[in-house]
């Protein structure tokens, strides 16, 4: 999943990126309201980690702008997406400050200093709710995918996946029934500065089909890849 970290302290920002990347997230950094707004207008993020004291203003200004964004033009989704989950991460830890942040539209609020494991758990909960899932484990046919433990069971048996294979499978499961192009998958897996091989997605899908069966991930020729909707995902 792709995360935008809006944080003006370089040390905290780089530490967050390193820790979240180790947990399988693609992470982009921004240090201010203006640069974060430009990023949200240009790319689709699964969640935003938002500090409030930024170089060019208050993070609540960005939050308000995001929540007031139209989000679509007719039936066509446009960016920024006003429903993007936002987790405020800030040193402002007073109760009235937390209430204000949540009332401005934040989905969650975490005061600094914090434990990265707790941050990761809160992110997983946000992403789970955004995907419309109640269960922390994704079950589809004979697949059981656990995003917290980053484990997969197929037919009750554990299956070893590389970090990228796991991420590709998670993206396709969350988008079940919808066809995703190679570019859309890449945008969910790679940050701005990542080097991407031209056939990386195809290689990961080939490996997943070999491990899970060729019918697990289907291809719409010339468009992209999808997992069928007919089975309920929980």
């Amino acid at each position: 999943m792709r995360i935008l970290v809006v944080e003006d302290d370089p040390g905290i920002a780089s530490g967050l990126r390193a820790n979240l990347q180790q947990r399988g997230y693609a992470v982009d950094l921004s240090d201010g309201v203006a640069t974060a707004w430009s990023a949200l207008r240009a790319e689709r993020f699964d969640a935003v980690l938002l500090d409030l004291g930024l170089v060019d203003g208050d993070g609540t200004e960005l939050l308000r702008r995001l929540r007031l964004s139209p989000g679509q033009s007719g039936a066509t989704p446009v960016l920024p997406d006003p429903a993007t989950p936002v987790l405020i991460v800030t040193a402002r830890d007073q109760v009235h400050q937390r209430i204000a942040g949540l009332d401005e539209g934040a989905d969650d609020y975490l005061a600094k200093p914090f434990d990265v494991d707790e941050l990761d758990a809160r992110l997983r909960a946000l992403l789970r709710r955004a995907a419309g899932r109640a269960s922390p484990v994704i079950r589809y046919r004979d697949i059981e995918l656990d995003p917290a433990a980053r484990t997969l069971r197929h037919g009750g048996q554990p299956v070893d996946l590389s970090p990228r294979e796991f991420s590709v499978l998670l993206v396709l499961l969350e988008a079940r029934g919808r066809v995703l192009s190679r570019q859309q998958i890449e945008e969910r897996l790679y940050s701005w500065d990542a080097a991407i091989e031209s056939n990386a997605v195809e290689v990961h899908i080939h490996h997943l089909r070999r491990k899970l069966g060729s019918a697990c991930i289907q291809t719409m020729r010339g468009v992209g890849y999808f997992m069928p909707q007919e089975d309920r995902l929980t």
Side-chain angles (χ1 to χ4, degrees):
M1 301 289 108
R2 191 170 181 186
I3 309 297
L4 178 64
V5 174
V6 188
E7 168 63 62
D8 68 339
D9 184 305
I12 294 175
S14 62
L16 279 172
R17 177 164 61 181
N19 277 284
L20 291 173
Q21 285 176 336
Q22 289 177 356
R23 288 163 167 79
Y25 297 97
V27 182
D28 292 302
L29 301 180
S30 174
D31 64 357
V33 174
T35 55
W37 183 247
S38 296
L40 289 165
R41 292 182 63 188
E43 304 281 354
R44 187 172 301 277
F45 293 92
D46 294 289
V48 177
L49 298 186
L50 178 64
D51 188 19
L52 296 182
L54 301 172
V55 294
D56 58 352
D58 195 282
T60 53
E61 177 187 345
L62 177 68
L63 181 56
R64 292 189 200 105
R65 292 173 68 181
L66 177 62
R67 294 303 184 231
L68 291 172
S69 173
Q72 62 179 21
S73 177
T76 305
V78 297
L79 297 177
D81 181 358
T84 303
V86 175
L87 169 55
I88 290 178
V89 181
T90 179
R92 302 177 191 175
D93 60 355
Q94 299 298 307
V95 172
H96 72 275
Q97 294 170 322
R98 298 185 189 202
I99 293 172
L102 294 168
D103 284 345
E104 288 287 355
D107 298 275
D108 200 356
Y109 196 109
L110 184 60
K112 299 175 182 175
F114 54 84
D115 187 280
V116 179
D117 288 337
E118 181 182 359
L119 172 65
D120 188 15
R122 289 174 180 265
L123 267 177
R124 291 196 304 270
L126 288 184
L127 296 171
R128 185 168 66 243
R129 290 198 296 270
R133 288 192 290 109
S135 171
V137 177
I138 301 174
R139 295 179 176 86
Y140 176 86
R141 297 184 176 176
D142 55 357
I143 291 173
E144 293 185 6
L145 191 77
D146 186 341
R150 294 190 70 80
T151 58
L152 170 69
R153 299 183 73 85
H154 180 227
Q157 299 300 313
V159 178
D160 289 330
L161 298 181
S162 72
R164 286 287 183 227
E165 290 167 6
F166 187 95
S167 296
V168 169
L169 182 59
L170 178 58
V171 167
L172 290 170
L173 280 170
E174 297 283 27
R176 65 208 181 274
R178 292 189 289 118
V179 180
L180 298 180
S181 68
R182 183 182 71 180
Q183 180 180 352
Q184 287 175 316
I185 296 173
E186 288 174 347
E187 287 172 352
R188 299 286 297 280
L189 301 181
Y190 298 96
S191 54
W192 295 318
D193 56 356
I196 309 173
E197 296 183 10
S198 60
N199 65 337
V201 169
E202 287 84 352
V203 170
H204 297 319
I205 288 176
H206 171 74
H207 291 163
L208 287 169
R209 284 170 169 163
R210 189 178 63 195
K211 296 175 181 181
L212 303 176
S214 58
C216 177
I217 300 171
Q218 299 187 18
T219 302
M220 182 172 288
R221 191 172 299 277
V223 181
Y225 304 95
F226 69 100
M227 300 183 77
Q229 173 97 14
E230 62 265 17
D231 296 272
R232 185 180 178 185
L233 183 68
T234 60

